[in-house]
Amino acid sequence: MTSADGTPVRVGVFGLLGSGNLGNDGSLEAVLGYLGREHPAAVVDALCGGPEAVTARYGIPATRLHWYRGEYRTASRAGAIVGKGLGKLVDVFRTAAWVRRHDVVIVPGMGVLEATLPLRPWGFPYALFLLCAAGRLSGTRVALVGVGAAPIGNRATRALVRRSARLAAYRSYRDTPSRDAMRAMGVDTARDEVHPDLAFALPSPPANAPKGAPGPVCVGVMDFHGGDDDRARAEEIHRRYLDGTTRFVRALAEEGRPVRLLTGDECDAPVVAAILDAVDSPLVTAAETASLADLMKETAAADTVVATRYHNLICALKAGTPTLALSYAAKSDALMAQMGLAAYCHPAREVDADRLLEQFRELEERSAQLRQTLAERNRDAVRQLEHQFTALTAALFPAADRTHAHARQETP
């Protein structure tokens, strides 16, 4: 794909990519797949959290998102505080220079317009605002594609998120509550569309036919301490989550069920270690996963999945495996409803192992029916994402869209 003067279109991708979060990287993978299929001549690079990992895995040039390398560590010493402050100023010019080199910048999925997990306004929300403001000033089209949003209590974070969304040239959301949240913040969403999460565009693993005897259960865990508004109760929430999840895993092991512990971010490893230490059973093992594809393979091999992280849920649902959500935000509830499993949500902030076991057994009793439901919903998700990518081409690459339309008209 080339621009009007015949040069290749320059596309940037932006976000906390390559930083250890498998969901974020899966969203990037889906967008890179779209660009490779529909716009193979585009020149792509990234401004991201983990540039070395992104370049090694996806083969595209990448630049570090923040000048100050300790951006997401708490600054307690004077030197660190000064470094962070200076970094905020330097990043204004770094971000603007990077944006100007592109025709289009895509923010691929992720919950970039929410604060459902602890978040400081001058971290990623500030970086996103710099991106969108630089795009508006330079004429580079910035697209927030299939992103998540939620009501935000912190005034500064909310202001940055609202302004970023208004400055973007294109917005679409991964669920209706996300669009509703931005509308409630004062963003005009009349032209904004809702499509399934971008990860549903990734290849599906081979379907697994359950055996007669009860098989393995995948339990996706998370280093969960509540959301941005729960900082005062963070440790209490974490302890309750860990205790309830551990009791649930122990009960499954005592019934003779193999359990595979899954994560979705590098920070989840201590939770896995704590559960393994507490349960101490050869039936409970930890999976090593480096991508959403790895997570899908694990969940496809299971009879049932119980998971917390949003993209753990998506992997299980896309694999067609009956799934129970330990839900910590409206996005999880919306996802489960979209896939026909609204009844199988359990609050992550108040894990009750006995009630969780009851829901788990109810889920397994309906396994065959739910697998059929998931197959239908997955086919629908793929169709909707085809529309998402068609709309994206029309909005960001109008010359290419006209070329495709002309070719279709000439096809006999």
Side-chain angles (χ1 to χ4, degrees):
M1 180 185 60
T2 58
S3 58
D5 61 3
T7 60
V9 172
R10 300 158 301 175
V11 180
V13 289
F14 175 94
L16 292 177
L17 310 164
S19 302
N21 184 286
L22 301 186
N24 292 358
D25 292 353
S27 298
L28 169 61
E29 188 175 338
V31 165
L32 292 178
Y34 151 71
L35 291 171
R37 290 189 308 271
E38 300 297 326
H39 309 289
V43 176
V44 183
D45 74 307
L47 184 62
C48 60
E52 298 86 359
V54 167
T55 296
R57 181 164 183 187
Y58 301 108
I60 61 174
T63 302
R64 185 171 298 282
L65 179 59
H66 301 287
W67 176 80
Y68 181 64
R69 289 177 176 264
E71 174 62 38
Y72 292 104
R73 294 195 296 267
T74 300
S76 55
R77 297 183 179 180
I81 294 172
V82 170
K84 273 198 172 186
L86 179 60
K88 300 305 176 192
L89 179 61
V90 174
D91 284 344
V92 172
F93 301 98
R94 289 178 73 251
T95 303
W98 182 82
V99 169
R100 280 198 302 269
R101 296 199 298 268
H102 299 85
D103 301 296
V104 172
V105 173
I106 296 175
V107 180
M110 306 177 287
V112 298
L113 303 178
E114 63 181 52
T116 52
L117 297 175
L119 183 70
R120 298 294 188 188
W122 306 115
F124 187 78
Y126 175 73
L128 182 65
F129 169 73
L130 291 183
L131 173 81
C132 295
R136 178 63 66 90
L137 291 172
S138 66
T140 298
R141 295 183 294 278
V142 174
L144 309 180
V145 182
V147 298
I152 297 173
N154 183 282
R155 181 176 298 178
T157 303
R158 185 171 63 248
L160 287 167
V161 163
R162 178 173 59 242
R163 191 61 179 160
S164 298
R166 286 175 172 172
L167 290 169
Y170 174 90
R171 295 179 300 268
S172 65
Y173 306 97
R174 63 190 180 189
D175 53 46
T176 300
S178 292
R179 183 171 61 184
D180 292 345
M182 295 314 298
R183 183 185 296 121
M185 287 187 211
V187 177
D188 181 2
T189 62
R191 297 184 179 181
D192 298 354
E193 295 186 340
V194 173
H195 303 281
D197 189 271
L198 291 171
F200 282 103
L202 296 173
S204 298
N208 174 55
K211 311 298 187 295
V217 179
C218 283
V219 178
V221 301
M222 179 178 178
D223 185 28
F224 180 61
H225 292 76
D228 201 47
D229 297 330
D230 297 318
R231 292 179 183 272
R233 302 191 304 123
E235 288 309 313
E236 174 194 345
I237 289 172
H238 180 67
R239 185 173 59 254
R240 181 177 296 179
Y241 170 80
L242 181 58
D243 289 349
T245 305
T246 300
R247 285 186 58 205
F248 174 71
V249 170
R250 182 183 292 114
L252 292 179
E254 288 174 351
E255 293 177 2
R257 298 293 292 271
V259 177
R260 292 283 277 173
L261 298 178
L262 307 178
T263 61
D265 195 295
E266 291 174 354
C267 69
D268 300 331
V271 179
V272 171
I275 293 174
L276 290 173
D277 184 62
V279 177
D280 192 21
S281 168
L283 289 172
V284 183
T285 57
E288 294 186 5
T289 53
S291 66
L292 291 193
D294 292 343
L295 281 172
M296 286 185 210
K297 289 177 184 175
E298 291 284 348
T299 58
D303 277 7
T304 311
V305 175
V306 178
T308 311
R309 280 199 179 274
Y310 183 75
H311 280 92
N312 276 195
L313 293 173
I314 286 180
C315 287
L317 296 166
K318 184 170 174 56
T321 305
T323 302
L324 199 162
L326 288 175
S327 175
Y328 66 87
K331 62 184 178 183
S332 300
D333 297 338
L335 172 64
M336 296 295 282
Q338 171 193 330
M339 299 303 288
L341 279 78
Y344 300 102
C345 294
H346 189 96
R349 285 173 175 78
E350 300 178 0
V351 178
D352 180 331
D354 294 332
R355 174 57 186 150
L356 186 58
L357 280 166
E358 291 177 9
Q359 290 180 287
F360 173 80
R361 291 180 179 121
E362 293 169 5
L363 180 71
E364 290 212 311
E365 287 176 2
R366 296 186 58 208
S367 178
Q369 175 189 346
L370 293 175
R371 284 178 180 273
Q372 291 181 346
T373 299
L374 288 172
E376 295 169 1
R377 299 298 173 95
N378 274 307
R379 286 192 291 269
D380 186 52
V382 170
R383 285 193 294 268
Q384 291 183 57
L385 281 171
E386 289 173 354
H387 175 70
Q388 159 71 99
F389 292 133
T390 299
L392 191 60
T393 291
L396 300 185
F397 311 108
D401 189 51
R402 288 194 296 271
T403 300
H404 290 169
H406 182 66
R408 286 193 298 269
Q409 290 172 1
E410 291 185 347
T411 301

